[in-house]
């Protein structure tokens, strides 16, 4: 795939894809940085309002940028959204023969040439979601998939194999492959990623009282039923903010190898993974020697990415200015 190809997110179905990456340059002996994540440009460093949490890691370790407040102060479990794909992609890369056709594991898949690697890299040609799930602008596209096994017959490509097409259906199918090999995809993720990363609280369906959710007119906004559905492997994981930072540490550990970030987006030396669901967003972004972890509630599309961009940009400027 062409890493420069402009892509656009579909926020109705929790898909967030990349446009260009964070990058830093030095001009005229002074540091200047322009960071772009998913098309959102940070133009200033003013602190945005609303409910969000953030931490930043530099050479001296992690520091809290915005502490727990509002809904974050009364509960602990956050929706990770499509950051789930990072866990699933790594597990597949570590435990499966990724160049094998998917039909080797799931004989009912219509395309005999589609490989496991295609699913990981979004190059299978599969659509974001099956057609009957894509037209629910204000509803929950995953509610009808709760308790219903994934129909492999839906896995029909809509674009040529090898061409980038962001696909939640592809990751749902990847979860089904892991189910076939390991018995339970989430148990495999726990064994190969979560436990090595020191994460113990991750869940697909956390207790209602533990969920960090925004409110509208005093009532909690109901999250999508991703974690309960056959599409859970595409974005259904919940865990704590501290665990999100632990995952960042583990995935980005120096010398760890590319398998830990095989599902992440990258351009040059910049790497990131993000996700958006009905009323929450999350990102881990690494650029210019800094890592930002941000989680937001009830914000506009790409707001999470813009906050992470601004945090790294500000830190780079302060570092270059000697502050």
């Amino acid at each position: 795939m062409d890493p420069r190809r402009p892509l656009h997110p579909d926020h109705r179905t929790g898909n967030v894809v990349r446009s260009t990456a964070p990058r830093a340059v030095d001009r005229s002996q002074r540091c200047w940085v322009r960071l772009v994540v998913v098309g959102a440009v940070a133009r200033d460093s003013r602190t945005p309002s609303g409910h969000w949490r953030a931490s930043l890691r530099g050479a001296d370790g992690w520091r809290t940028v915005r502490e727990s407040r509002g809904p974050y102060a009364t509960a602990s479990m956050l929706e990770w959204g499509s950051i789930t794909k990072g866990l699933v992609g790594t597990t597949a890369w570590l435990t499966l023969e990724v160049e094998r056709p998917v039909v080797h594991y799931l004989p009912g898949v219509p395309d005999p040439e589609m490989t496991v690697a295609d699913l990981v890299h979004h190059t299978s040609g599969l659509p974001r979601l099956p057609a009957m799930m894509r037209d629910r602008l204000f509803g929950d596209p995953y509610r009808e998939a709760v308790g219903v096994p994934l129909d492999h017959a839906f896995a029909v490509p809509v674009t040529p194999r090898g061409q980038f097409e962001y696909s939640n259906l592809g990751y749902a199918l990847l979860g089904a492959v892991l189910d076939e090999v390991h018995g339970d995809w989430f148990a495999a993720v726990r064994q190969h990623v979560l436990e090595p990363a020191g994460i113990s609280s991750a869940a697909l369906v956390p207790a209602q009282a533990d969920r960090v959710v925004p409110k509208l007119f005093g009532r909690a906004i109901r999250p999508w039923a991703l974690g309960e559905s056959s599409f859970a492997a595409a974005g259904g994981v919940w865990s704590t903010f501290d665990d999100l930072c632990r995952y960042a540490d583990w995935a980005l550990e120096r010398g760890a190898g590319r398998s830990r970030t095989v599902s992440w987006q990258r351009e040059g030396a910049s790497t990131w993974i993000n996700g958006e669901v009905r009323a929450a967003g999350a990102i881990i972004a690494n650029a210019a020697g800094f890592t930002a972890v941000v989680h937001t509630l009830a914000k506009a599309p790409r707001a999470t990415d813009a906050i992470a961009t601004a945090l790294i940009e500000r830190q780079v400027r302060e570092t270059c200015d000697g502050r």
Side-chain angles (χ1 to χ4, degrees):
M1 89 185 178
D2 182 352
R4 298 165 297 177
R5 179 186 173 206
L7 301 165
H8 304 284
D10 180 348
H11 300 283
R12 293 176 298 171
T13 52
N15 298 331
V16 181
V17 294
R18 74 141 183 265
S19 166
T20 53
R23 59 190 183 274
V25 300
D26 187 294
R27 285 187 175 181
S28 302
Q29 310 230 325
R30 60 184 296 229
C31 287
W32 174 85
V33 65
R34 180 175 182 266
L35 303 170
V36 183
V37 180
V38 197
V41 181
R43 303 189 186 281
D44 57 53
S45 57
R46 290 176 295 179
T47 301
S49 60
H51 298 306
W52 57 283
R53 283 199 66 180
S55 288
L56 192 69
R57 187 187 68 181
D60 297 329
W62 289 99
R63 66 178 179 86
T64 300
V65 175
R66 189 173 176 89
E67 69 284 356
S68 300
R69 61 178 69 177
Y72 292 105
T74 58
S76 62
M77 295 292 279
L78 316 177
E79 287 186 276
W80 284 21
S82 287
I83 291 179
T84 301
K85 292 180 175 69
L87 316 177
V88 174
T90 293
T91 302
W93 213 258
L94 292 174
T95 66
L96 304 177
E97 295 181 60
V98 296
E99 297 304 327
R100 275 198 164 181
V102 176
V103 293
H104 172 78
Y105 300 102
L106 303 175
V109 172
D111 185 345
E113 297 183 356
M114 178 192 306
T115 67
V116 171
D118 286 328
L119 299 181
V120 172
H121 294 309
H122 299 283
T123 55
S124 65
L126 293 176
R128 295 172 185 269
L129 289 174
M132 68 285 198
M133 295 177 66
R134 293 200 294 264
D135 297 325
R136 301 187 177 100
L137 179 59
F138 299 107
D140 180 349
Y142 304 99
R143 179 61 55 183
E144 293 183 11
V146 173
V148 180
L150 184 69
D151 188 342
H152 302 164
F154 289 151
V156 178
V158 295
T159 59
R161 178 171 170 253
Q163 180 176 316
F164 187 93
E165 181 72 22
Y166 192 93
S167 181
N168 277 357
L169 174 57
Y171 266 78
L173 194 64
L174 189 56
V177 172
L178 291 173
D179 279 340
E180 182 67 23
V181 173
H182 298 286
D184 182 284
W185 73 266
F186 190 56
V189 162
R190 190 178 297 282
Q191 177 184 351
H192 293 282
V193 179
L194 297 176
E195 289 178 355
I199 296 171
S200 59
S201 62
L204 296 177
V205 188
Q208 294 284 345
D210 294 335
R211 300 182 183 190
V212 178
V213 295
K215 292 184 178 181
L216 181 64
F217 303 120
R219 299 183 62 178
I221 297 175
R222 187 178 187 183
W224 283 334
L226 252 172
E228 306 166 60
S229 76
S230 51
F231 284 76
V237 166
W238 296 65
S239 198
T240 66
F241 185 83
D242 287 346
D243 280 346
L244 199 56
C245 294
R246 290 186 182 98
Y247 174 54
D249 277 337
W250 182 81
L252 297 169
E253 183 180 8
R254 188 182 299 274
R258 189 162 176 167
S259 64
R260 295 190 186 183
T261 56
V262 69
S263 298
W264 292 41
Q265 309 295 334
R266 52 174 46 85
E267 185 172 306
S270 301
T271 312
W272 72 99
I273 188 169
N274 56 4
E276 287 189 348
V277 286
R278 170 176 275 168
I283 185 171
I284 303 169
N286 179 264
F290 297 98
T291 301
V293 173
V294 180
H295 192 276
T296 65
L297 296 174
K299 284 192 169 292
R302 297 192 296 272
T304 312
D305 311 296
I307 293 172
T309 296
L311 292 177
I312 295 176
E313 180 186 48
R314 182 173 62 185
Q315 190 62 50
V316 170
R317 288 185 184 278
E318 291 177 358
T319 300
C320 292
D321 291 343
R323 283 184 275 174

